[in-house]
């Protein structure tokens, strides 16, 4: 992609699939499925890191999940039958959704080692773009994009509900802290967002060990309480879940919306797979996270059987009085880690959207020289901070916030199931006789959770849905606007071959130096070149046409990233290919061009960029309000000079007005 609006890459239609197949990048912990077992000495450190990044969200769910089942908006009386029924639902939710669906099925659908709904969508489109119908491809794209848009709502709500639920533990210690819960939570959240610019590298070194302490403590608390009443272990029998629904009917179905809170971190497992690989994530889950969560949930259940009045906050009532304040401090640290994982996930999701052409160019700051994935987006960080602050001030308690929590994630999980089904059928060749029953179970669970959470729309669930609709509209508006703009420019453009043939024996005057013209379509003469020929009537001795394209893979190997092709009149065509998790960079491209034997001096090189001023047309290709939104987004997008890190003192911009 280039500054030319018809270009392919960040902020514009991609030329996905144009490159030769690339080999999977080497990522920590990632090996081809079916490869031999990795040594424990290698897996253990990665599993420790996964604890600090991947499991923060699902690991802090015990703070509020059972509390909302028994004292939330649709809380149910903590009778022995109800307690065992809810615990049975919790147990089987963790087994079916996390252990089987995500760790056993979905995480096999990795896009060259990367996970997440946009990576999965790119994997589906690779196949669908070649073999699927246009309508089918559009349905899959719409589902994937809407699922991605809903995750932004999760990125706003998770920090708010997690930190609030931890700080509310102070109210259990003494009611004197109740008026200060919201101010304390706001201060913690403000500090969390302010340190984002420093990067997570240093903090990340303590995330894993701290989460080991967290999971160990909650396991010990649960085991201590459960040892006094082992009857709660009966909950592993699914018959208790069935009886729960039979006896409670519609009310029992509504409680399912609170039960879903125990699996809200499922999408994070998949999205963060590229950081560690699926084997370390799986090891951490079965070795520590799942046992600790089950022990704590069953311990809370045993507490409710002994003292039903503890339903107002069963997690903190597990702790003895002397340990309450340290537990609040530890819980707050764990929720900050959970929030950090979601914030980092939103940063990564936004970068993927930019690279795939669904979002305008934004400033991307790399906070680590060693780790490519550690990025910071100032604009997104500010938007998240404002959103989280408004949510905390508007809802003022984690109980009220959990009413808004869940519906976005359940919808995304259902979309993930559908996309993973397509991948399993078309890329893995799984038989329908095996795949259909498996996917049907997963989708039935997803839709049951979605239905139970849909009741929350009037009580706060409208918030993530509204955010998702707005962001989906912006993403599709940007994509469609770029397509219309590209069509407009191509209609008024001149083919490169036609331009060269038009010179005949009257070649333009050549001047010393190197000129680089950025273009999205390598077969079309860049508009900046045409303007330069029209007004200056010269060509540089070395004229390079640069196209930057984004592939439907996370990373393109360095050795395959840049190709150089000779053209008539001493011109050359440079094609630079990047994955949707790579950062296109002019310095990187120039370095690889020099390595390929293309000589030039940066100080005698000029970059010619086209800058178009967009005007809303009288006969728009989409609704006029969407055109106005697209124009506004274009004007606020980061300049190509800054985004591609072009030396600003070597840039020449040639502008034109374009009516959409």
């Amino acid at each position: 992609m280039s500054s030319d609006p018809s270009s392919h890459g960040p902020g514009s239609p991609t030329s996905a699939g144009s490159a030769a197949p690339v080999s999977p990048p080497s990522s920590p912990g990632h090996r081809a499925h079916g490869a031999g077992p990795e040594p424990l000495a290698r897996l253990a450190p990665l599993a420790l890191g996964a604890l600090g990044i991947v499991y923060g969200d699902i690991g802090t769910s015990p703070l509020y999940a059972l509390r909302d089942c028994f004292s939330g908006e649709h809380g149910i009386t903590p009778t022995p039958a109800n307690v065992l029924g809810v615990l049975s639902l919790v147990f089987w939710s963790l087994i079916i959704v996390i252990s089987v669906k995500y760790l056993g099925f979905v995480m096999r659908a990795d896009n060259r080692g990367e996970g997440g709904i946009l990576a999965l969508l790119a994997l589906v489109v690779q196949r669908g773009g070649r073999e699927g119908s246009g309508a089918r491809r559009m349905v899959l794209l719409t589902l994937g994009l809407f699922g991605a848009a809903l995750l932004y709502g999760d990125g706003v709500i998770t920090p708010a509900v997690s930190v609030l639920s931890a700080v509310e533990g102070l109210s259990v210690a003494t009611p004197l802290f109740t008026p200060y819960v919201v101010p304390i939570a706001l201060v913690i959240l403000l500090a969390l967002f302010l340190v984002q610019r420093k990067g997570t590298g240093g903090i990340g070194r303590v995330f894993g060990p701290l989460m080991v302490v967290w999971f160990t403590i909650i396991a010990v608390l649960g085991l201590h309480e459960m040892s006094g009443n082992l009857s709660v272990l009966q909950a592993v029998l699914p018959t208790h879940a069935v009886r729960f629904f039979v006896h409670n009917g519609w009310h029992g179905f509504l409680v399912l919306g609170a039960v879903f809170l125990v699996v809200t971190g499922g999408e994070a497992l998949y999205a963060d797979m590229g950081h560690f690989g699926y084997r370390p994530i799986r090891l951490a889950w079965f070795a520590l996270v799942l046992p600790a969560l089950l022990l704590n949930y069953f311990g809370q259940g045993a507490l409710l059987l002994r003292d039903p009045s503890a339903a107002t906050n069963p997690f903190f009532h597990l702790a003895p009085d002397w340990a309450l304040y340290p537990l609040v401090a530890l819980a707050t640290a764990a929720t900050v880690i959970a929030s950090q994982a979601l914030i980092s996930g939103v940063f990564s999701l936004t970068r993927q959207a930019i690279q795939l052409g669904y979002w305008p160019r934004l400033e991307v700051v790399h906070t680590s020289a060693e780790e490519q994935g550690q990025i910071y987006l100032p604009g997104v960080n500010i938007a998240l901070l404002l959103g989280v602050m408004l949510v905390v001030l508007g809802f003022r308690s984690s109980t009220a916030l959990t009413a808004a929590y869940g519906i976005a994630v359940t919808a995304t999980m259902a979309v993930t199931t559908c996309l993973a089904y397509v991948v399993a059928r078309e890329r893995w060749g799984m038989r329908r006789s095996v795949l259909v029953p498996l996917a049907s179970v997963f989708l039935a669970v997803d839709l049951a959770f979605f239905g139970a959470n849909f009741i929350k729309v009037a009580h706060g669930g409208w918030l993530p849905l509204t955010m998702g609709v707005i962001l989906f509209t912006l993403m599709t508006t940007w994509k469609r606007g770029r397509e219309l703009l590209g069509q407009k420019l191509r209609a008024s453009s001149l083919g490169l071959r036609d331009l060269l043939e038009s010179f005949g024996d009257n070649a333009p005057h050549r001047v010393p130096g190197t000129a680089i013209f950025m273009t999205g379509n390598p077969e079309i003469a860049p508009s900046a070149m045409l303007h330069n020929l029209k007004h200056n009537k010269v060509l540089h001795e070395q004229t390079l046409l640069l196209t930057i394209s984004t592939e439907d893979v996370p990373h393109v190997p360095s050795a395959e990233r840049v190709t150089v092709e000779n053209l008539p009149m001493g011109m050359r065509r440079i094609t630079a290919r990047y994955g949707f998790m790579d950062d296109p960079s002019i310095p990187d491209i120039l370095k690889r061009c020099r390595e390929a034997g293309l000589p030039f001096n940066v100080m005698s090189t000029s970059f010619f960029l086209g800058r178009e001023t967009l005007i809303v047309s009288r006969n728009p290709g989409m609704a006029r309000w969407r055109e106005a939104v697209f124009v506004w987004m274009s004007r606020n997008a980061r300049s190509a000079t800054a985004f591609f890190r072009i030396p600003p003192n070597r840039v020449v911009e040639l502008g034109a007005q374009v009516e959409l």
Side-chain angles (χ1 to χ4, degrees):
M1 182 276 204
S2 74
S3 61
D4 189 303
S6 64
S7 59
H8 301 301
S12 59
T14 67
S15 55
S18 60
V22 297
S23 58
S26 58
S27 62
H30 175 70
R31 306 178 75 197
H33 293 293
E38 292 178 280
L40 184 61
R42 170 176 166 76
L43 286 178
L46 292 171
L48 180 63
L51 285 173
I53 300 298
V54 176
Y55 289 112
D57 189 5
I58 197 170
T60 53
S61 294
L63 287 167
Y64 44 78
L66 285 193
R67 180 198 66 191
D68 277 39
C69 289
F70 295 103
S71 65
E73 179 73 20
H74 303 291
I76 198 163
T77 305
T79 63
N82 287 340
V83 170
L84 290 177
V86 168
L87 288 179
S88 184
L89 290 172
V90 168
F91 175 82
W92 287 106
S93 295
L94 290 171
I95 297 300
I96 294 174
V97 177
I98 306 300
S99 300
V100 180
K101 175 186 170 181
Y102 277 98
L103 292 174
F105 179 67
V106 173
M107 287 182 66
R108 291 176 53 84
D110 64 301
N111 192 334
R112 311 296 174 97
E114 295 291 341
I117 192 165
L118 282 184
L120 181 61
L121 178 62
L123 198 63
V124 169
V125 171
Q126 287 176 23
R127 188 80 173 185
R130 292 191 292 269
E131 299 181 2
S133 65
R136 176 179 178 276
R137 183 175 184 273
M138 184 57 63
V139 170
L140 294 174
L141 278 171
T142 301
L143 283 175
L145 286 176
F146 190 64
L150 288 172
L151 285 180
Y152 283 94
D154 191 25
V156 170
I157 295 176
T158 294
V161 70
S162 298
V163 173
L164 268 175
S165 62
V167 178
E168 284 169 352
L170 295 173
S171 298
V172 177
T174 171
L176 295 176
F177 279 107
T178 301
Y180 305 103
V181 167
V182 170
I184 292 173
L186 290 174
V187 170
I188 293 172
L189 289 167
L190 178 62
L192 173 63
F193 282 97
L194 288 179
V195 301
Q196 292 302 310
R197 68 184 67 190
K198 303 294 184 181
T200 59
I203 304 174
R205 295 186 184 96
V206 301
F207 277 8
L210 186 58
M211 290 306 292
V212 170
V213 174
W214 167 256
F215 284 117
T216 302
I217 293 298
I218 67 172
V220 169
L221 289 174
L223 183 61
H224 177 266
E225 182 65 41
M226 190 178 67
S227 63
N229 189 351
L230 293 178
S231 64
V232 292
L233 293 176
Q234 301 175 49
V236 300
L237 299 174
T239 52
H240 288 284
V242 175
R243 291 171 185 164
F244 177 80
F245 287 126
V246 171
H247 293 159
N248 293 288
W250 178 247
H251 192 184
F253 178 74
L254 295 181
V255 173
L256 197 60
V259 172
F260 173 74
L261 296 173
V262 306
V263 296
T264 50
E267 279 293 315
L269 303 180
Y270 184 40
D272 290 323
M273 180 172 61
H275 294 289
F276 304 99
Y278 73 96
R279 285 186 172 93
I281 291 175
R282 186 178 297 171
L283 174 63
W285 173 255
F286 288 107
L288 178 61
V289 179
L290 178 60
L293 290 176
L294 290 178
L295 285 173
N296 191 264
Y297 285 128
F298 277 54
Q300 291 187 45
L303 172 65
L304 293 175
L305 292 178
R306 178 173 62 84
D307 180 13
S309 65
T312 54
N313 208 321
F315 176 83
F316 285 107
H317 280 100
L318 284 176
D321 293 341
W322 62 266
L324 196 53
Y325 289 110
L327 183 60
V328 171
L330 180 61
T332 302
T335 56
V336 167
I337 293 173
S339 303
Q340 178 63 63
L342 265 295
I343 295 169
S344 299
V346 170
F347 289 163
S348 297
L349 180 68
T350 303
R351 181 173 68 168
Q352 292 181 32
I354 292 172
Q355 296 293 78
L356 290 171
Y358 290 100
W359 203 255
R361 291 186 297 260
L362 298 174
E363 182 181 2
V364 179
V365 179
H366 287 264
T367 58
S368 171
E370 293 80 23
E371 297 295 333
Q372 185 183 27
Q374 292 185 17
I375 58 175
Y376 165 63
L377 281 72
V380 176
N381 191 61
I382 292 174
L384 282 176
L385 171 60
L386 293 176
V388 170
M389 292 293 186
L390 290 174
V391 163
V392 170
L393 290 172
F395 287 84
R396 304 193 69 81
S397 75
S398 62
T399 300
L401 258 174
T402 52
Y405 198 33
I407 190 167
V409 187
T410 53
T412 303
M413 284 183 168
V415 171
T416 297
T417 298
C418 295
L419 296 180
Y421 171 87
V422 175
V423 171
R425 178 63 188 153
E426 297 186 354
R427 297 183 72 92
W428 305 343
M430 283 186 67
R431 296 191 305 271
R432 284 194 176 92
S433 59
V434 175
L435 184 58
V436 170
L438 186 66
S440 297
V441 171
F442 295 152
L443 191 59
V445 174
D446 293 336
L447 294 179
F449 279 136
F450 179 79
N453 278 281
F454 194 77
I455 308 299
K456 301 178 181 180
V457 169
H459 303 282
W462 56 268
L463 177 62
L465 288 179
T466 302
M467 293 177 61
V469 169
I470 292 174
L471 288 164
F472 175 77
T473 302
L474 291 176
M475 293 168 74
T476 54
T477 296
W478 181 255
K479 184 72 169 180
R480 179 57 180 160
R482 299 299 297 186
E483 291 173 349
L484 291 174
L485 187 55
Q487 294 171 8
K488 185 77 173 181
L489 291 173
R490 284 192 293 272
S492 59
S493 62
L494 180 65
L496 182 61
R497 185 181 298 274
D498 295 333
L499 174 65
L500 296 177
E501 291 177 352
S502 69
F503 292 145
D505 297 329
N506 300 314
H509 179 66
R510 309 302 286 263
V511 296
T514 300
I516 298 180
F517 295 91
M518 301 183 72
T519 175
N521 190 332
E523 303 300 328
I524 293 178
S527 60
M529 175 186 281
L530 297 177
H531 284 301
N532 187 49
L533 286 169
K534 178 180 179 181
H535 296 288
N536 299 325
K537 300 178 176 58
V538 296
L539 274 180
H540 285 67
E541 288 179 345
Q542 185 168 245
T543 299
L544 311 177
L545 307 181
L546 173 61
T547 299
I548 302 177
S549 66
T550 301
E551 308 297 325
D552 281 337
V553 295
H555 304 285
V556 173
S558 299
E560 303 175 19
R561 187 165 288 169
V562 175
T563 58
V564 180
E565 178 186 354
N566 292 324
L567 299 173
M569 298 181 60
M571 301 170 64
R572 291 180 175 88
R573 177 186 291 131
I574 301 173
T575 303
R577 297 181 176 90
Y578 287 85
F580 58 77
M581 293 194 72
D582 294 325
D583 290 313
S585 165
I586 290 297
D588 176 62
I589 294 171
L590 298 185
K591 174 187 175 183
R592 302 189 187 285
C593 287
R594 281 193 292 267
E595 293 173 351
L598 187 61
F600 59 85
N601 183 351
V602 175
M603 298 310 297
S604 62
T605 300
S606 298
F607 295 84
F608 288 83
L609 308 181
R611 176 178 287 273
E612 284 70 30
T613 301
L614 305 181
I615 303 173
V616 178
S617 63
R618 296 180 180 178
N619 299 303
M622 54 183 175
R624 290 183 65 86
W625 67 268
R626 291 187 71 190
E627 277 209 351
V629 170
F630 174 69
V631 171
W632 172 78
M633 294 175 75
S634 298
R635 291 173 181 171
N636 287 277
R638 200 176 188 216
S639 70
T641 301
F643 186 83
F644 294 115
R645 287 176 274 180
I646 305 173
N649 60 341
R650 309 305 308 169
V651 173
V652 178
E653 290 190 346
L654 301 173
Q657 287 190 341
V658 179
E659 184 178 4
L660 290 175

